[in-house]
Amino acid sequence: MIRHIVVAAVIKNKDKDRIYIQQREGEKEFEGKWELPGGKVENGESFESALLRELHEELRPIEDDETSFYIEKFIGATVKVGTKGEWTGLEYLLMFYEVRLDSTIIPSATNYMWLGNNQVEAFRDKLIPDNFDVIMESFLNEHLNNVLHVAAFDQNIEIL
């Protein structure tokens, strides 16, 4: 049974040759790994609202209004099982969206970068595995059907 839903954003630069990633901090699963920005969906939030909230919290756009980020499309989803902390043994749904950035950002993460398509393979072991797959596919402009188990989920999933 899925206990948590997590949303993440693929944000490319204007030339579409780099993707924003940040290094995971704290005592969380995958501590020290690099990841796409995003976070947990709270009770009562839509997936898109949660993603926009997380992006505003993590990326702190200078023009902090509703037009700073634009969700362009749903990319795909996969179900994972947590292996550390409060999520150990719990299934969670990880959903990926392509997002356009329409603002200058001041990231809250200590370590962040715009990963170039020529750097992805060298970063393979530094990225959270599903994030690596999504980034590779995004740069290749291919659908995720062969990488992730793409699924459509009802927006009314109850989070326990």
Side-chain angles (χ1 to χ4, degrees):
M1 172 185 282
I2 294 174
R3 299 271 180 171
H4 300 289
I5 300 172
V6 177
V7 290
V10 172
I11 301 174
K12 291 183 181 178
N13 65 344
K14 290 186 182 195
D15 293 333
K16 299 193 180 272
D17 63 349
R18 295 187 177 277
I19 292 176
Y20 176 88
I21 59 171
Q22 57 195 18
Q23 192 170 30
R24 196 160 233 221
E25 300 172 3
E27 296 181 18
K28 302 177 194 173
E29 187 170 19
F30 301 116
E31 179 183 359
K33 293 279 191 180
W34 290 80
E35 66 181 345
L36 297 167
K40 186 176 157 185
V41 176
E42 301 295 337
N43 276 323
E45 266 185 319
S46 71
F47 304 147
E48 292 84 4
S49 294
L51 182 60
L52 292 173
R53 175 184 51 78
E54 289 286 346
L55 292 176
H56 278 271
E57 289 173 6
E58 294 179 14
L59 302 183
R60 302 183 315 198
I62 290 176
E63 299 85 18
D64 194 11
D65 59 25
E66 294 180 9
T67 64
S68 299
F69 303 101
Y70 176 75
I71 298 174
E72 295 191 326
K73 67 181 176 180
F74 171 72
I75 298 174
T78 186
V79 175
K80 305 302 287 178
V81 177
T83 60
K84 188 172 181 181
E86 65 181 277
W87 291 39
T88 301
L90 298 179
E91 286 186 335
Y92 61 96
L93 176 64
L94 180 55
M95 303 181 68
F96 296 97
Y97 290 85
E98 187 175 303
V99 176
R100 186 179 73 231
L101 173 64
D102 289 335
S103 176
T104 302
I105 57 173
I106 306 170
S108 61
T110 304
N111 296 312
Y112 62 90
M113 68 180 292
W114 289 92
L115 185 69
N117 56 5
N118 60 340
Q119 299 170 295
V120 179
E121 192 59 48
F123 252 72
R124 177 187 285 271
D125 294 334
K126 296 176 185 173
L127 288 161
I128 293 175
D130 289 317
N131 286 212
F132 172 81
D133 295 338
V134 169
I135 290 168
M136 286 296 291
E137 289 296 324
S138 183
F139 277 132
L140 295 173
N141 290 321
E142 294 179 1
H143 296 288
L144 297 175
N145 292 340
N146 296 327
V147 178
L148 298 175
H149 301 287
V150 177
F153 288 89
D154 184 0
Q155 291 269 347
N156 297 319
I157 294 175
E158 181 179 342
I159 303 172
L160 302 176

